Amino acid sequence: MHPRFREIVIHARREGLRVIDRCNLTILSEPGYEDLADFLAQQRVEVSASLPCYSRGNVDKQRGDGVFDASIEGLKKLNALGYGIDGSGLTLNLVYNPQGPNLPPPQAQLEADYKVHLAEDFGIHFNHLLTITNQPIARFGSTLVSKGQFNSYMQLLRDSYRPENLEAVMCRSLVSVDWQGYLYDCDFNQMLELPLSDLIGRDRPHLRDLLNAQSLEGNPIVTRDHCYACTAGQGSSCTGALKD
Ligand code: SF4
């Protein structure tokens, strides 16, 4: 956790900004963070939390022993504060990504399955499930390479390309800012160290350059093969599928 996380959130909320915490559920019960859920609720922060499956076996296999139980505890804590409960105004979304080299299943159907299982088995409620396609980069990319699955996964992404997703990919309307203030078209480009292009002639545009720029309208987006993960099938972004 960034040591000044709470300070950043408080300032952003004071400015009236919408804040979404991409929350690791297990942190909510870690020593020293027991009051984190209360803080998020007080600040009316939206929570998006990874839960790769509603079954203990699959989650622990992907994330490690005990992660499922700790995640369920975290979700119960958030529900008790009103998160995911109708009328509370506190948004709790869950995030799903496939465990292997596959595309996510249809988001609406999977959300319905999650809602039934989590309510019946644990009494847990949430607002929406966001399905995200695994990018063939970083840890997932190297796992694919080590298992000899990289080329077949890339082929699956290319074969599933749907041009209508281009209208809605998140790099059309958002930028990603690294911890030093440098700008990228998205988090994936940040991980690949592909900076935003061409902004007022800077090689490596910085947040402060935006103050001088008229607009980012028309600024070219830096694309590579990993972009097929955003444009395959139902599409993918930080806010889930682009189309059902
Ligand atoms: S990976 Fe490519 S398509 Fe997806 S958001 Fe980033 S730049 Fe856009």
Side-chain angles (χ1 to χ4, degrees):
M1 173 80 79
H2 191 290
R4 297 177 74 181
F5 171 79
R6 294 185 194 214
E7 196 182 327
I8 294 167
V9 170
I10 289 168
H11 279 282
R13 291 296 293 143
R14 257 190 220 143
E15 293 295 322
L17 297 175
R18 177 185 178 196
V19 176
I20 306 172
D21 178 25
R22 187 71 165 79
C23 182
N24 173 347
L25 290 168
T26 58
I27 200 173
L28 299 177
S29 46
E30 288 288 322
Y33 294 95
E34 296 91 343
D35 64 340
L36 181 60
D38 297 85
F39 169 78
L40 295 171
Q42 280 159 14
Q43 293 294 324
R44 316 294 289 175
V45 171
E46 295 179 28
V47 172
S48 289
S50 285
L51 191 68
C53 190
Y54 44 73
S55 94
R56 178 179 287 105
N58 282 342
V59 173
D60 286 356
K61 191 171 145 209
Q62 187 181 6
R63 297 286 161 92
D65 286 344
V67 168
F68 183 76
D69 287 340
S71 300
I72 294 297
E73 277 316 301
L75 289 172
K76 285 183 174 171
K77 208 171 193 175
L78 290 168
N79 273 175
L81 288 163
Y83 272 104
I85 307 298
D86 284 347
S88 71
L90 291 171
T91 302
L92 170 60
N93 291 327
L94 299 183
V95 179
Y96 165 91
N97 62 297
Q99 298 184 38
N102 316 103
L103 295 181
Q107 182 170 272
Q109 180 58 52
L110 191 62
E111 178 182 297
D113 293 346
Y114 263 66
K115 287 201 165 174
V116 168
H117 282 279
L118 290 178
E120 285 182 356
D121 297 347
F122 305 103
I124 285 172
H125 304 279
F126 64 96
N127 296 98
H128 290 293
L129 181 75
L130 315 177
T131 59
I132 296 184
T133 304
N134 286 317
Q135 287 273 339
I137 59 172
R139 192 175 54 169
F140 187 73
S142 38
T143 303
L144 291 176
V145 170
S146 64
K147 290 184 172 175
Q149 297 172 325
F150 184 84
N151 289 338
S152 57
Y153 185 62
M154 279 308 307
Q155 197 57 48
L156 170 69
L157 297 180
R158 283 195 193 94
D159 291 345
S160 311
Y161 172 68
R162 284 173 65 189
E164 58 267 38
N165 287 324
L166 292 177
E167 289 301 316
V169 284
M170 58 187 174
C171 50
R172 301 287 297 262
S173 54
L174 299 170
V175 291
S176 172
V177 186
D178 75 10
W179 68 280
Q180 291 176 301
Y182 291 103
L183 301 173
Y184 307 81
D185 287 300
C186 68
D187 292 356
F188 309 120
N189 283 10
Q190 184 186 142
M191 290 164 81
L192 292 168
E193 298 183 18
L194 294 168
L196 202 79
S197 72
D198 286 339
L199 182 69
I200 56 170
R202 302 272 184 195
D203 285 344
R204 202 180 169 203
H206 191 274
L207 198 50
R208 72 175 78 89
D209 298 325
L210 275 185
L211 300 175
N212 304 322
Q214 290 292 318
S215 159
L216 286 177
E217 191 77 41
N219 205 55
I221 292 169
V222 178
T223 59
R224 296 289 188 277
D225 276 359
H226 65 285
C227 296
Y228 281 109
C230 296
T231 52
Q234 63 189 338
S236 181
S237 73
C238 290
T239 50
L242 303 178
K243 296 182 189 309
D244 281 331

